[in-house]
Amino acid sequence: MYRSHNCGELNASHINSEVTLAGWVQKVRDKGFMVWVDLRDRYGITQLIFDEERTPKNIMEQAQKLGREFVVQVKGTVIERASKNPNMATGDIEILVSELTLLNGAKLPPFTIEDDTDGGEELRMKYRYLDIRRNPVKNSLIFRHKVTQEVRNYLSKEGFIEVETPYLIKSTPEGARDFVVPSRMNPGQFYALPQSPQTFKQLLMVGGMDKYFQIVKCFRDEDLRADRQPEFTQIDCEMAFVEQEDILNAFEGLTRHLLKEVNGVEIDQFPRMLYDDAMRLYGNDKPDIRFGMQFGELNDVTQHKEFQVFNAAELVVGIAVPSGNAFTRKEIDKLIAWVKRPQIGAMGMVYCRYNEDGSFKSSVDKFYDQEDLAKWAEVTGAKPGDLICILSGDTHKVRTQLSALRMELAEQLGLRKPDEFAPLWVMDFPLLEWDEDTERYHAMHHPFTSPKPGQLELLETDPGAVKANAYDLVLNGNEIGGGSIRIHDKKTQSLMFDYLGFTPEEAKAQFGFLMNAFEYGAPPHGGLAFGLDRLVAILGGQETIRDFIAFPKNNSGRDVMIDAPAAVDDAQLDELSLKLNLNS
């Protein structure tokens, strides 16, 4: 038996007990006549004590040779600690060691295995197995386990069945780039790794499974950022014989359950917002509604003077920053420089101070009087003591820019509190979006999304105006889930493929199996998929997802620990009927 107890469970009730522990050496403090060792495992830390009077000489000598991260087993007696540590669960006791066994030595780690480490992110990812020993990462992985268990328990109780779907599927041209896998047994042909189990879960509905879920790996070969990985995990769900309201209610229930059980937070309201309103009021389709600063469109009250920057703009739009009048000129100049960065792309920013005495002072006083500025305050909802920030330009671009500024200001002002949760449904997305590069419409979600009832005919006359029977669940400014009511009849699905530019032959080649299934009695169905990595990070009070993934990739999509992706030898390429020409 390697251990009778773990390193986090012993306390004063165990005094005088004989115990066996095993773990890693966290720290050694050697006073010559006495040695203290902090022994760590997944559960906590227990202090070991060795002294010249009570410890056999050979054991004492062994203890003095221990280094950080050595793996050891000890046997000894639990005794009361002379200098108690109230910050440790085991701080009332220590182990007087009688036997010490070295199970494995260890090189000096390349960074300290402490909560506040000296290791940079790339270094810690290279030695991820060491990083996992640190409490922040270890606790994040345990937290993820807790969330997934709650998901499984809740959905199972609600009658959902977990079904696994294939990882080796067919590549499709819609959506992000696929990761492709060559088939040795079918030379020149390829599988794709799934971006989502979309068609399979629809086929499960045709198969009568009624309520399906799966916690599933998905893969997208696209550019990365802090909250995106080439492989990610979804809580994938589908339901048959449902309308949109049924799905919203079902997954509000799951979200409420997670917030209550995991975070101890009760949520009553799940407000609903139209996509068009989200874009108009917040500049993006996943607004953070924990704070205000809604957009005010200012064209009517700014384009009547000789300020050509505003007169030439398609949209003039501003936000009122609460208590922003306290910003110094230097701080405002920093904001102006921030919006002019290439990542944001604004040409500049106009600002207006709303003084406590009710007067205004703007950066464009040459063109606008106090009456004009009062109208700016009215439109943006500004109050005395606020600062009005205004951007102008092309509608789409300026909304995106002001949205980024709103989030940056909220961060600076401490308005994005990680322990505060504000869910929101965003609904009625456009069914199609125009792609300038290909000069054709693409499905905004995917080609299986149903248009809103009564809007199918609009595809003939005004395709861009058609709304999708789709919905996203937003939490704290992050999309945590999205879904739709699906098309469930062959005629409508064929029509959708037509509008997306598929020839009948292409549609049959890519999705003939689904179209055939629809001819055998497909029920009305719809679903939703949560991004588990992002959901867990938000519930854990973080913005980035990496610490909640055991072995994440870096921003280049590389696993720096195992050095992947990597070249394969010529024999493997020949076996797969592949030839690489890196010079082409």
Side-chain angles (χ1 to χ4, degrees):
M1 181 173 67
Y2 276 108
R3 54 188 179 183
S4 61
H5 298 78
N6 65 55
C7 292
E9 69 177 298
L10 297 173
N11 53 49
S13 70
H14 296 94
I15 288 174
N16 295 325
S17 299
E18 296 294 317
V19 298
T20 303
L21 301 179
W24 289 264
V25 173
Q26 174 82 11
K27 192 180 296 182
V28 178
R29 298 180 297 284
D30 186 354
K31 296 294 185 182
F33 63 92
M34 191 170 288
V35 177
W36 291 273
V37 173
D38 287 346
L39 188 67
R40 182 193 71 242
D41 64 10
R42 177 186 131 190
Y43 306 94
I45 292 176
T46 297
Q47 182 170 283
L48 313 178
I49 184 170
F50 307 78
D51 68 45
E52 288 182 339
E53 293 183 2
R54 295 176 290 178
T55 304
K57 184 178 180 181
N58 64 317
I59 302 298
M60 190 74 178
E61 290 173 349
Q62 278 183 276
Q64 290 172 325
K65 295 176 182 177
L66 293 176
R68 283 179 178 267
E69 303 307 312
F70 279 34
V71 187
V72 300
Q73 180 193 47
V74 297
K75 293 182 181 179
T77 305
V78 182
I79 62 174
E80 186 174 4
R81 189 163 164 170
S83 179
K84 295 181 173 58
N85 185 345
N87 298 319
M88 287 176 62
T90 60
D92 290 341
I93 58 93
E94 57 191 359
I95 310 301
L96 178 62
V97 178
S98 57
E99 295 182 33
L100 170 62
T101 304
L102 178 64
L103 300 176
N104 220 332
K107 293 169 64 176
L108 185 69
F111 54 86
T112 54
I113 313 297
E114 303 277 357
D115 290 4
D116 296 318
T117 183
D118 57 358
E121 186 172 344
E122 197 78 0
L123 181 66
R124 289 186 289 111
M125 287 180 71
K126 183 175 181 179
Y127 296 93
R128 185 64 165 179
Y129 44 86
L130 297 179
D131 202 27
I132 290 172
R133 295 180 188 174
R134 296 174 51 244
N135 284 325
V137 182
K138 176 198 73 177
N139 292 338
S140 292
L141 296 180
I142 294 171
F143 183 81
R144 181 187 177 109
H145 164 75
K146 181 179 179 180
V147 173
T148 56
Q149 289 302 103
E150 290 295 339
V151 168
R152 281 196 163 95
N153 292 341
Y154 181 87
L155 291 176
S156 297
K157 287 177 182 175
E158 292 295 311
F160 285 80
I161 304 298
E162 186 167 13
V163 182
E164 294 182 52
T165 54
Y167 277 173
L168 296 176
I169 66 168
K170 191 180 203 176
S171 183
T172 61
E174 287 292 315
R177 296 182 186 92
D178 287 327
F179 283 101
V180 294
V181 181
S183 169
R184 178 183 60 82
M185 297 179 68
N186 301 277
Q189 295 186 317
F190 297 82
Y191 299 105
L193 300 179
Q195 297 183 33
S196 128
Q198 180 61 45
T199 54
F200 289 101
K201 65 181 178 180
Q202 290 190 250
L203 292 171
L204 286 169
M205 295 304 101
V206 178
M209 288 306 292
D210 188 50
K211 287 183 175 181
Y212 140 94
F213 86 99
Q214 183 181 189
I215 297 179
V216 59
K217 279 282 187 191
C218 301
F219 308 85
R220 289 178 188 168
D221 187 8
E222 56 187 4
D223 295 337
L224 307 179
R225 56 179 188 239
D227 62 345
R228 181 178 288 168
Q229 289 273 303
E231 53 179 318
F232 57 97
T233 307
Q234 285 187 177
I235 308 167
D236 198 58
C237 307
E238 198 80 1
M239 303 167 71
F241 301 109
V242 289
E243 296 177 335
Q244 179 177 278
E245 196 66 26
D246 300 309
I247 294 174
L248 301 190
N249 289 335
F251 295 106
E252 281 181 18
L254 174 58
T255 308
R256 278 196 185 94
H257 175 80
L258 292 175
L259 286 168
K260 181 179 179 181
E261 296 300 320
V262 175
N263 296 87
V265 174
E266 299 268 7
I267 295 290
D268 292 327
Q269 300 299 317
F270 280 68
R272 300 180 183 187
M273 183 180 297
L274 299 179
Y275 168 86
D276 290 343
D277 290 338
M279 298 304 295
R280 178 175 56 84
L281 295 172
Y282 297 98
N284 70 68
D285 59 5
K286 45 182 184 294
D288 191 336
I289 59 170
R290 286 176 293 179
F291 55 94
M293 288 195 278
Q294 287 188 354
F295 291 8
E297 297 190 352
L298 296 161
N299 292 49
D300 292 345
V301 294
T302 59
Q303 292 181 331
H304 61 294
K305 294 293 179 75
E306 295 179 1
F307 187 51
Q308 291 306 313
V309 172
F310 284 173
N311 292 343
E314 186 178 3
L315 177 66
V316 183
V317 62
I319 53 174
V321 183
S323 303
N325 197 23
F327 288 178
T328 65
R329 177 58 191 269
K330 186 176 181 181
E331 288 172 323
I332 293 174
D333 286 344
K334 280 186 178 178
L335 287 178
I336 294 171
W338 190 87
V339 300
K340 291 168 75 172
R341 299 181 317 155
Q343 300 96 313
I344 308 300
M347 298 299 292
M349 183 185 86
V350 169
Y351 66 90
C352 174
R353 296 181 179 274
Y354 193 170
N355 299 317
E356 294 289 353
D357 63 6
S359 65
F360 299 91
K361 177 66 179 173
S362 82
S363 57
V364 285
D365 279 348
K366 177 180 177 181
F367 300 98
Y368 297 97
D369 57 29
Q370 292 290 298
E371 186 178 342
D372 290 323
L373 302 180
K375 290 177 182 176
W376 296 10
E378 182 181 350
V379 172
T380 59
K383 297 179 176 59
D386 290 352
L387 178 74
I388 303 170
C389 298
I390 302 172
L391 301 181
S392 61
D394 172 78
T395 296
H396 176 72
K397 288 182 180 177
V398 79
R399 281 176 172 168
T400 302
Q401 293 160 358
L402 190 60
S403 175
L405 176 61
R406 176 179 179 267
M407 296 297 277
E408 173 65 18
L409 285 163
E411 202 71 52
Q412 290 185 19
L413 296 170
L415 300 176
R416 304 192 69 203
K417 299 173 183 175
D419 57 350
E420 184 180 334
F421 298 95
L424 169 74
W425 287 109
V426 177
M427 308 166 70
D428 291 8
F429 286 80
L431 182 67
L432 307 172
E433 57 184 342
W434 182 256
D435 186 289
E436 295 289 348
D437 295 330
T438 60
E439 294 187 339
R440 67 182 181 92
Y441 281 105
H442 288 261
M444 191 163 189
H445 281 75
H446 52 63
F448 317 109
T449 296
S450 174
K452 293 288 284 188
Q455 295 205 356
L456 188 61
E457 294 75 15
L458 271 177
L459 284 171
E460 293 277 5
T461 56
D462 192 1
V466 180
K467 299 298 184 185
N469 208 344
Y471 33 82
D472 278 358
L473 183 55
V474 176
L475 185 62
N476 295 0
N478 294 272
E479 177 204 329
I480 61 167
S484 66
I485 297 296
R486 323 300 187 191
I487 297 168
H488 67 278
D489 66 279
K490 182 177 180 179
K491 181 180 177 183
T492 306
Q493 188 64 74
S494 297
L495 192 61
M496 178 62 70
F497 286 143
D498 288 344
Y499 286 111
L500 291 173
F502 287 84
T503 66
E505 293 74 24
E506 287 171 337
K508 184 175 181 181
Q510 294 292 336
F511 303 109
F513 63 94
L514 184 65
M515 305 284 274
N516 290 340
F518 285 171
E519 294 187 292
Y520 289 91
H525 60 281
L528 179 141
F530 287 88
L532 178 65
D533 308 303
R534 192 176 300 166
L535 173 63
V536 171
I538 295 168
L539 294 178
Q542 304 293 323
E543 286 290 316
T544 58
I545 65 176
R546 281 184 187 159
D547 278 355
F548 296 89
I549 299 172
F551 300 102
K553 307 290 190 292
N554 69 8
N555 282 340
S556 301
R558 294 196 64 82
D559 186 324
V560 294
M561 182 182 67
I562 63 172
D563 193 24
V568 297
D569 62 37
D570 290 342
Q572 282 179 285
L573 292 176
D574 289 343
E575 208 171 29
L576 295 168
S577 303
L578 294 176
K579 284 188 180 294
L580 286 185
N581 184 359
L582 298 179
N583 297 320
S584 60

